């Protein structure tokens, strides 16, 4: 009998325990091992809970038990999660985590620790909840040279933007509804300001391109400034505004990870991902492009991903080196600055005639892709050209109210 320890008995941790015992026989057949939840680490007591007798308050109890071979970390945050996970790995116990902040900030250290001790540190649940994306990137798609990844990585913002798109709700009203339905926290900053999506694109960038990408290296802009008028203008041009986390390899070999609102045209599958669902699009030289779609959060969807990692760890006889990356090299600029960003742009402006939009597009060397009385869309350009277009509009007496990049598909 091998034991699993669960660190944190909140929404995800309790989901892991619930789903394990619901499907214990299936899990044991899958792994070929008898398994049980040996310990649940939490500061609190849980009187009346069917698994209250498993609750402990000291990580040392778990570390000292040689029968514990696998740990599900569901605490969240960096401290004390980092210390606990590192000590578990050093004790020869594989760890599966749903903690995106931990992986984004300390993943390189924990992966190296796992390697040194012949165990595994898996994190499928840290990106996309129940969507399998981490494992496909380093197994199913391993024969591809992956050039870029982009996706809707935060269900809360996707729900808010859908309400603005479909129901003509303003941002504040849509956010209030998301909070009422339990999709957004009382303090929604991590979601609406882009921090949650930033951590997830850090993890995907690190895995795909092989070097650790930290959150402070990612240009991050949330959706607080998106207005109903922005959403309506995107609709006129045949698109929808989505918060997109993306990373792309540039011609010079550097990568550019970003999180920002983007106009996604209706031809893209991503434009049709609504509600609290997530989706990740991957571009590779063998596959062209493929999309992974599903519930990006929630108690049981996330627990499913955590237990999937535990099952995989039980089957392994050593460290899986493909699910890894190297630490960032000191003094090497692997991540390009936002000045290197290039894309089509959608401008929302004060009322203006189509002739002005077209004239200025010709002057700065871009193509006018579409126009309306209150805005226009221009073809692919870099940051410098986009700023020149904005300045020339201003010289014509046109007020620029917003400028949103368009996702190239």
């Amino acid at each position: 009998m091998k034991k699993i320890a669960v660190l944190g008995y909140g929404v995800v941790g309790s989901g892991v325990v619930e789903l394990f015992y619901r499907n214990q026989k299936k899990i044991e057949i899958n792994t070929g091992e008898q398994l049980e939840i040996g310990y649940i680490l939490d500061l609190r007591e849980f009187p009346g809970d069917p698994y209250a007798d498993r609750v402990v308050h000291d990580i040392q109890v778990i570390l000292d038990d040689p029968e514990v071979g696998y740990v599900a970390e569901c605490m969240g945050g960096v401290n004390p999660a980092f210390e606990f996970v590192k000590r578990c790995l050093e004790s020869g116990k594989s760890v599966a985590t749903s903690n995106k902040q931990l992986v984004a900030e300390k993943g390189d250290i924990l992966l190296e620790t796992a390697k040194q001790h012949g165990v595994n540190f898996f994190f499928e649940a840290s990106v996309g909840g129940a969507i399998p994306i981490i494992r496909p990137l380093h197994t199913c798609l391993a024969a591809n040279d992956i050039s870029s990844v982009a996706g809707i990585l935060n269900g809360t913002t996707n729900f808010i933007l859908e309400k603005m798109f479909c129901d003509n709700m303003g941002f504040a009203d849509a956010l209030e509804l998301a909070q009422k339905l339990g999709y957004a926290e009382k303090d929604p900053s991590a979601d609406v300001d882009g921090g949650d999506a930033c951590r997830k694109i850090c993890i995907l960038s690190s895995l795909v391109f092989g070097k650790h990408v930290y959150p402070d290296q990612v240009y991050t802009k949330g959706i607080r400034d998106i207005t109903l008028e922005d959403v309506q203008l995107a609709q006129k041009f045949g698109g929808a505004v989505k918060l997109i986390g993306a990373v792309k390899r540039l011609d010079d070999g550097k990568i550019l990870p970003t999180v920002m609102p983007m106009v996604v045209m209706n031809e893209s599958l991503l434009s049709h991902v609504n509600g609290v669902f997530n989706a990740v699009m991957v571009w590779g030289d063998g596959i062209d492009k493929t999309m992974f779609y599903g519930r990006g959060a929630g108690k049981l969807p996330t627990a499913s991903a955590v237990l999937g990692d535990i099952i995989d760890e039980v089957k392994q006889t050593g460290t899986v080196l493909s699910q890894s990356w190297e630490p960032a090299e000191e003094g090497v600029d692997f991540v390009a600055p936002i000045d290197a960003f290039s894309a089509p742009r959608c401008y929302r402006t004060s009322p203006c005639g189509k002739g002005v939009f077209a004239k200025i597009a010709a002057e700065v060397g871009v193509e006018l892709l579409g126009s309306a009385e209150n805005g226009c869309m221009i073809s692919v350009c870099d940051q410098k050209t986009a700023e020149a277009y904005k300045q020339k509009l201003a010289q014509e007496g046109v007020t620029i109210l917003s400028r949103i990049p368009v996702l190239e598909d």
Side-chain angles (χ1 to χ4, degrees):
M1 178 75 70
K2 294 187 177 180
K3 294 180 183 177
I4 300 167
V6 178
L7 310 187
Y9 202 45
V11 173
V12 177
S14 62
V16 168
V17 176
E18 177 185 337
L19 193 61
F20 173 82
Y21 281 111
R22 181 190 298 182
N23 297 322
Q24 182 177 7
K25 288 184 179 179
K26 180 178 176 61
I27 291 170
E28 290 179 337
I29 291 171
N30 197 309
T31 59
E33 298 282 354
Q34 285 189 305
L35 300 166
E36 69 170 355
I37 304 292
Y39 301 99
I40 299 169
L41 179 73
D42 204 288
L43 292 174
R44 299 164 295 174
E45 299 286 355
F46 296 89
D49 187 277
Y51 308 107
D53 61 329
R54 321 285 172 90
V55 174
V56 297
H57 308 297
D58 186 352
I59 187 66
Q60 196 63 47
V61 175
I62 294 169
L63 297 173
D64 289 342
D65 189 338
E67 293 185 343
V68 175
Y70 313 99
V71 176
E73 188 278 304
C74 309
M75 302 171 65
V78 174
N79 296 308
F82 173 65
E83 177 195 346
F84 288 178
V85 169
K86 192 169 185 291
R87 290 173 67 188
C88 286
L89 295 170
E90 290 169 342
S91 297
K93 307 177 193 302
S94 289
V95 177
T97 184
S98 60
N99 188 341
K100 52 192 160 289
Q101 184 178 2
L102 177 67
V103 183
E105 296 186 19
K106 302 291 186 179
D108 55 340
I109 299 172
L110 295 173
L111 286 163
E112 179 59 27
T113 303
K115 180 180 176 181
Q116 290 173 357
H117 293 86
V119 292
N120 284 292
F121 175 61
F122 286 170
F123 41 88
E124 184 68 67
S126 67
V127 180
I131 304 172
I133 182 61
I134 300 298
R135 194 170 287 104
L137 283 173
H138 72 91
T139 56
C140 311
L141 303 180
N144 284 260
D145 179 22
I146 296 174
S147 57
S148 59
V149 177
I152 296 165
L153 303 177
N154 182 270
T156 299
T157 53
N158 203 47
F159 175 84
I160 291 170
L161 291 168
E162 181 203 7
K163 288 301 172 185
M164 295 174 74
F165 183 92
C166 295
D167 299 341
N168 289 325
M169 297 179 70
F171 170 79
D173 291 336
L175 171 59
E176 184 179 354
L177 177 61
Q179 291 172 318
K180 181 179 179 181
L181 294 175
Y183 297 147
E185 302 288 343
K186 184 176 180 180
D187 179 3
S189 301
D191 294 319
V192 301
D193 293 331
D196 177 77
C198 172
R199 291 164 182 160
K200 293 171 182 176
I201 202 63
C202 283
I203 296 167
L204 295 177
S205 301
S206 301
L207 184 62
V208 169
F209 296 107
K211 293 181 182 177
H212 195 100
V213 176
Y214 296 96
D216 61 4
Q217 294 176 292
V218 179
Y219 174 83
T220 303
K221 180 178 175 59
I223 66 167
R224 283 188 192 270
D225 297 333
I226 296 297
T227 66
L228 182 56
E229 291 76 16
D230 292 323
V231 172
Q232 292 170 337
L233 182 62
Q235 283 180 281
K236 288 182 182 179
F237 293 142
V241 179
K242 301 287 187 181
L243 183 67
I244 299 294
V247 61
K248 183 177 183 179
R249 185 178 58 227
L250 305 180
D251 291 341
D252 62 3
K254 294 182 181 181
I255 66 168
L256 181 56
T258 58
V259 172
M260 64 177 84
M262 302 189 80
V263 175
V264 183
M265 304 309 290
N266 292 340
E267 293 78 17
S268 171
L269 289 173
L270 287 174
S271 73
H272 305 288
V273 176
N274 293 316
V276 293
F277 282 79
N278 285 189
V280 182
M281 191 82 79
V282 181
W283 284 263
D285 61 345
I287 57 169
D288 183 22
K289 62 183 176 184
T290 189
M291 191 176 86
F292 300 82
Y293 167 84
R295 291 194 175 275
K299 178 177 181 176
L300 294 182
T302 306
S304 170
V306 172
L307 282 171
D309 277 347
I310 293 287
I311 290 168
D312 202 12
E313 288 173 343
V314 175
K315 294 178 177 181
Q316 298 300 325
T317 56
T319 305
V320 176
L321 299 179
S322 61
Q323 187 165 318
S324 185
W325 56 78
E326 298 298 322
E329 295 179 62
E330 191 172 346
V332 176
D333 292 327
F334 176 57
V335 178
I338 191 59
D339 290 347
F341 179 74
S342 181
R345 317 284 169 135
C346 182
Y347 291 79
R348 184 168 64 86
T349 70
S350 58
C352 179
K354 178 179 179 180
V356 174
F357 293 137
K359 177 174 77 79
I360 295 175
E363 288 178 4
V364 301
V366 296
E367 180 185 355
L368 182 67
L369 299 179
S371 66
E373 181 186 8
N374 65 327
C376 66
M377 184 182 292
I378 62 173
S379 61
V380 177
C381 62
D382 57 22
Q383 295 286 81
K384 184 177 179 180
T385 303
E387 189 62 28
Y389 193 83
K390 175 181 176 180
Q391 291 176 359
K392 285 184 175 290
L393 281 175
Q395 290 170 7
E396 294 285 342
V398 180
T399 303
I400 294 82
L401 302 172
S402 66
R403 183 178 69 193
I404 304 176
V406 180
L407 179 67
E408 294 184 89
D409 190 14

